[in-house]
Amino acid sequence: QVQLVESGGGLVPPGGSLRLSCAASGSDFIVYAMAWYRQAPGKQRELVASITNGRTNYADSVKGRFTISRDNAKNTMYLQMNSLKPEDTAVYYCNVKCPYDYWGQGTQVTVSS
């Protein structure tokens, strides 16, 4: 199995930045796809960004502000979040397919003055 541990969440003012990390551990594995999701209270979980077949994709609400990336040597994926808005407040989850679905524990991002 693969374990995913997230870090980097916190409280930031509007316009601030955060970088979320998701470190994978376990037996030797190949990640076929990876993504970041988020879920705000009372809302469904939504896809924020993904890397599939070597290409990135972003939700319209974050395009131009967020960047998804990975470091294969460290088995870690990142979500760089800039120009944060209050509506970005949510619990963020990392997800990988290798080829089964694995999820991180979630990390809280709160954007507030």
Side-chain angles (χ1 to χ4, degrees):
Q1 291 189 332
V2 176
Q3 294 80 45
L4 304 177
V5 179
E6 301 180 35
S7 62
L11 173 65
V12 294
S17 298
L18 283 174
R19 188 176 75 159
L20 306 183
S21 299
C22 177
S25 62
S27 300
D28 190 28
F29 60 91
I30 299 173
V31 175
Y32 298 106
M34 58 178 56
W36 288 94
Y37 289 77
R38 68 185 182 188
Q39 187 167 23
K43 295 186 177 181
Q44 295 187 36
R45 186 173 299 183
E46 65 173 336
L47 177 64
V48 176
S50 65
I51 302 176
T52 304
N53 296 323
R55 295 188 173 185
T56 59
N57 196 10
Y58 298 91
D60 289 341
S61 60
V62 307
K63 190 174 181 62
R65 300 187 297 120
F66 291 11
T67 303
I68 186 172
S69 63
R70 67 181 293 179
D71 185 334
N72 290 333
K74 298 182 182 297
N75 284 331
T76 301
M77 61 184 292
Y78 305 94
L79 183 68
Q80 178 66 47
M81 305 184 294
N82 299 325
S83 302
L84 283 162
K85 304 175 181 179
E87 53 262 42
D88 295 318
T89 296
V91 177
Y92 285 71
Y93 300 89
C94 59
N95 166 266
V96 301
K97 297 181 183 297
C98 52
Y100 303 103
D101 272 312
Y102 294 92
W103 294 87
Q105 81 280 7
T107 185
Q108 177 71 47
V109 172
T110 302
V111 184
S112 176
S113 59

